[in-house]
Amino acid sequence: MRQSDQHGHKSSGTSLTAWLPVLAAAAIMATGCLSTFLVLQLDEFRPKVGDMVVFRAGSQDADGWQVTIPATVVSPDGQATATCTLDPNVIAAKGGSLVVEARQDQPTLLYRVRWAGEHTAQGGTDCGTSASLDVTRTDLQRLANAAGGFGVGNKGVTP
């Protein structure tokens, strides 16, 4: 008679079954990350000169955004003169807007924006009521997300 040896041996089918959901989740996450990266590389999805980010005064558009964006203040002749901070929650309290004036591709992708509004941050890192600023593409997108998108329509979203 044959006895089955079930003591101390695990089936390899069980371990594969246990790992299958983990592998599927990892594949989905990797696909999502890669797709997002590729879409962001398309020029069509980049902010363009003339795009606006508008924070309406007293709106709740930026609630919950615990982010501060570093910016470089630029003089009229294009020289960096100082650094300041853009805080979406502070900006949304009194309102303000950013207009994309130029895009620099090299050596790194930067956007020159014109800020106009009350305050951009609390304390000594405020950019003032009007300034030309350089921000990264990622930071400009974060500001647009906090405002509800690019444009001036309802909730700040207009193509």
Side-chain angles (χ1 to χ4, degrees):
M1 256 168 95
R2 245 186 198 175
Q3 280 186 311
S4 61
D5 186 14
Q6 295 179 358
H7 303 290
H9 294 284
K10 293 184 180 177
S11 170
S12 64
T14 302
S15 63
L16 178 61
T17 305
W19 280 101
L20 194 57
V22 173
L23 294 173
I28 291 170
M29 288 183 358
T31 302
C33 289
L34 181 61
S35 298
T36 301
F37 173 77
L38 292 174
V39 165
L40 289 176
Q41 298 308 309
L42 296 174
D43 193 50
E44 181 178 334
F45 294 102
R46 290 183 179 176
K48 296 169 185 55
V49 172
D51 282 353
M52 296 179 70
V53 176
V54 178
F55 290 86
R56 295 180 308 163
S59 71
Q60 299 300 314
D61 291 347
D63 275 354
W65 289 89
Q66 301 303 317
V67 62
T68 55
I69 305 298
T72 303
V73 180
V74 181
S75 68
D77 63 355
Q79 299 300 314
T81 60
T83 59
C84 63
T85 303
L86 300 160
D87 182 337
N89 295 306
V90 173
I91 295 171
K94 298 282 185 172
S97 63
L98 295 160
V99 178
V100 177
E101 294 181 330
R103 183 177 91 191
Q104 169 189 310
D105 291 322
Q106 298 295 328
T108 60
L109 183 59
L110 287 176
Y111 286 89
R112 173 90 28 99
V113 298
R114 167 59 68 175
W115 157 252
E118 288 288 321
H119 297 285
T120 63
Q122 296 176 345
T125 62
D126 187 33
C127 298
T129 59
S130 178
S132 283
L133 307 169
D134 281 346
V135 295
T136 66
R137 176 182 181 209
T138 303
D139 289 338
L140 181 57
Q141 187 64 55
R142 286 180 185 163
L143 288 164
N145 291 347
F150 288 98
V152 294
N154 189 27
K155 281 279 296 167
V157 181
T158 298

